[in-house]
Amino acid sequence: MSTVFQKTIRAITKATTYPFYKIKARNLKIPEQGAFVGIANHASYLDAIVIACVVKRPMRFVMYWKIYELPLLKYIFKALGAIPIASPRENREVYQKAVRAMDNEIQAGGAVFIFPEGMITHDGALNEFKSGAVRLSQKNQCPVIPMGINGVWGSVFSRAKIRTTALWRRRIEVLGGDKVEHQEVTQERLFDEVKTLLHR
């Protein structure tokens, strides 16, 4: 994974989104060193880009394998260090490779970002969290840093039935929460942490 490439993509992303979206971060406490798992709600196709715009530290995003495998885009995702994942029932080989890649990154002191809902919301509500972030944190004894993405639901990149296509500077905010140590990590705790960040 090239840090230089990641910084270049981040700069290009910021430049291309600036005319349309005003992305701000509040109370975001990202450690400069040490392993952690980042999580957030998943309200649009833009979410990973939003997070990448406000978090300067390189992170490996976990993403659905069929999107990862899209022609041309696959090379960009790979260069960015994205980790493709599938459910064990859908593709056990892809799932096992993803688990190993996540464990290796955390054990090397890196950061992995997961959208624990496992899907983009269809109604704007927070979906039940899956167990991936909990497993990764508890197995490798690293904290989880929750984040809440506000302002993307209802945009053209969301799954809202009524979406705005107006090209104006939509305000998007990423609100950071306090880190949750691995001893305190549960699916319910992480769900509550993110839900709280969406209602501030």
Side-chain angles (χ1 to χ4, degrees):
M1 175 174 55
S2 171
T3 302
V4 174
F5 184 77
Q6 284 194 333
K7 289 181 177 179
T8 301
I9 292 295
R10 185 182 298 115
I12 293 173
T13 299
K14 284 185 176 181
T16 54
T17 58
Y18 181 82
F20 313 112
Y21 298 97
K22 187 177 183 180
I23 303 173
K24 297 292 184 181
R26 181 159 60 96
N27 197 42
L28 203 56
K29 303 172 184 177
I30 304 298
E32 295 183 2
Q33 295 181 335
F36 72 88
V37 180
I39 64 168
N41 57 304
H42 207 1
S44 78
Y45 293 100
L46 198 65
D47 294 341
I49 292 175
V50 169
I51 295 295
C53 282
V54 298
V55 178
K56 295 181 179 180
R57 181 172 166 181
M59 298 185 295
R60 297 193 68 181
F61 285 85
V62 179
M63 64 182 298
Y64 185 47
W65 71 294
K66 288 188 176 179
I67 296 179
Y68 180 93
E69 292 290 340
L70 290 174
L72 298 181
L73 290 178
K74 177 179 180 178
Y75 299 102
I76 297 176
F77 293 144
K78 185 176 182 179
L80 288 171
I83 299 174
I85 195 168
S87 70
R89 291 182 180 181
E90 185 178 18
N91 192 315
R92 177 162 292 277
E93 182 181 359
V94 171
Y95 170 78
Q96 291 176 338
K97 285 183 178 179
V99 169
R100 287 195 296 270
M102 288 187 284
D103 285 341
N104 290 341
E105 184 66 22
I106 292 298
Q107 290 165 12
V112 173
F113 199 94
I114 297 174
F115 293 102
E117 294 169 89
M119 61 180 291
I120 297 173
T121 178
H122 286 273
D123 58 8
L126 196 63
N127 293 304
E128 181 181 353
F129 279 13
K130 300 185 183 302
S131 62
V134 176
R135 184 208 67 82
L136 187 60
S137 171
Q138 292 181 347
K139 179 181 178 181
N140 297 287
Q141 299 186 358
C142 70
V144 176
I145 298 179
M147 304 176 205
I149 306 174
N150 295 285
V152 292
W153 176 252
S155 73
V156 70
F157 295 102
S158 71
R159 288 178 172 172
K161 292 181 179 179
I162 301 176
R163 292 174 287 180
T164 177
T165 56
L167 296 180
W168 54 283
R169 296 203 70 198
R170 186 183 186 91
R171 294 179 62 87
I172 297 175
E173 182 181 64
V174 178
L175 185 58
D178 296 328
K179 70 178 179 180
V180 182
E181 298 295 348
H182 73 274
Q183 302 95 326
E184 302 174 350
V185 169
T186 64
Q187 285 174 252
E188 294 76 14
R189 173 69 182 277
L190 297 185
F191 181 92
D192 290 342
E193 291 286 338
V194 173
K195 186 176 182 180
T196 299
L197 295 174
L198 298 179
H199 291 84
R200 286 187 182 178

